[in-house]
């Protein structure tokens, strides 16, 4: 990961246009080629960004980030670079699940037809470039489905599953891949965001799931 602190302005050129005036910014350039621009507030949310696949061209006074498919651009006008450093983070192991989440994954994988009749398990802990998806399965039509499991799911869980889906849908052997967010409880805001992104939400009853003896429906 490359971290750059620079005094710069930023223009987004594409279907919509947006302008950030000249100011000190934090620029994150990640190994997946994504670029995001941050201020010293707004928690984790960037001011503007470009998702992969994209490429960065650095010229004197101007950095241009171009999306590989849409051609949309982030144009950074660099007045002064205050800090520029790179760090090798390696492959992220993902979140370490507690006992209940691990058991939920095991139970749901064993009884995958609780998500739908005719569904089949491909594997648990399907590895992607940014970490493992809890369950990869196929629905009754044979289409790929990625399942992310949580005890309590919030917006961060939706964002995590969204990143997995973006990567998995680049694989022609898997695509198209849909997503399911499965949890004992799901925050209303997370449900709204998931629905907007085409991700299905399933609320799991842990005790009921432990006692499954046939293909019961949990939603």
């Amino acid at each position: 990961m490359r971290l750059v602190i620079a005094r710069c302005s930023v223009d987004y050129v594409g279907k919509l246009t947006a302008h950030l005036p000249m100011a000190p910014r934090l620029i994150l350039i990640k190994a997946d080629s994504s670029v995001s621009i941050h201020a010293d507030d707004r928690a984790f949310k960037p001011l503007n960004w470009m998702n992969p696949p994209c490429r960065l061209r650095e010229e004197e006074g101007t950095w241009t980030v171009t999306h590989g498919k849409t051609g949309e651009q982030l144009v950074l006008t660099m007045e002064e670079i205050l800090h520029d450093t790179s760090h090798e983070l390696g492959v992220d192991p993902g979140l370490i699940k507690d006992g209940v989440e691990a058991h939920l994954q095991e139970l749901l994988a064993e009884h995958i037809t609780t998500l739908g009749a005719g569904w089949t398990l491909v594997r648990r802990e399907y590895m992607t470039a940014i970490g493992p998806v809890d369950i990869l399965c196929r629905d009754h039509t044979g289409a790929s489905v990625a399942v992310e499991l949580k005890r309590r799911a919030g917006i961060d869980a939706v964002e995590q599953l969204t990143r997995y889906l973006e990567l998995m849908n680049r694989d022609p052997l898997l695509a198209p891949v849909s997503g399911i967010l499965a949890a004992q409880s799901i925050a209303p805001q997370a449900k709204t965001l998931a629905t907007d992104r085409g991700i299905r939400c399933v609320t799991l009853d842990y005790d009921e799931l432990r006692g499954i003896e046939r293909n019961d429906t949990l939603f």
Side-chain angles (χ1 to χ4, degrees), residues 1-4 27-36 56 58 63 65 84 86-87:
M1 178 183 291
R2 183 179 176 189
L3 295 86
V4 179
I27 305 164
L28 295 183
I29 306 163
K30 296 186 179 181
D32 64 359
S33 82
S34 64
V35 178
S36 56
L56 170 62
E58 299 180 36
W63 290 11
V65 184
D84 189 347
S86 297
H87 303 270

Side-chain angles (χ1 to χ4, degrees), residues 69-144:
K69 293 183 179 179
T70 66
E72 294 180 301
Q73 293 184 325
L74 278 178
V75 180
L76 289 71
T77 302
M78 311 292 283
E79 183 176 277
E80 181 182 10
I81 295 178
L82 306 171
H83 177 85
D84 189 347
T85 186
S86 297
H87 303 270
E88 181 61 51
L89 301 185
V91 177
D92 191 279
L95 295 174
I96 304 300
K97 296 186 177 296
D98 63 22
V100 172
E101 286 189 17
H103 198 205
L104 275 172
Q105 182 190 114
E106 180 183 345
L107 288 168
L108 191 57
E110 183 179 353
H111 302 283
I112 198 67
T113 52
T114 61
L115 297 176
W119 287 43
T120 56
L121 175 69
V122 176
R123 66 168 298 169
R124 294 168 55 192
E125 300 290 335
Y126 181 86
M127 185 58 65
T128 74
I130 57 173
V133 174
D134 287 323
I135 292 176
L136 176 63
C137 57
R138 294 191 184 278
D139 65 17
H140 68 285
T141 69
S144 302

Side-chain angles (χ1 to χ4, degrees), residues 6-18:
R7 182 171 175 79
C8 63
S9 63
V10 183
D11 290 279
Y12 190 91
V13 182
K15 295 178 181 178
L16 300 174
T17 58

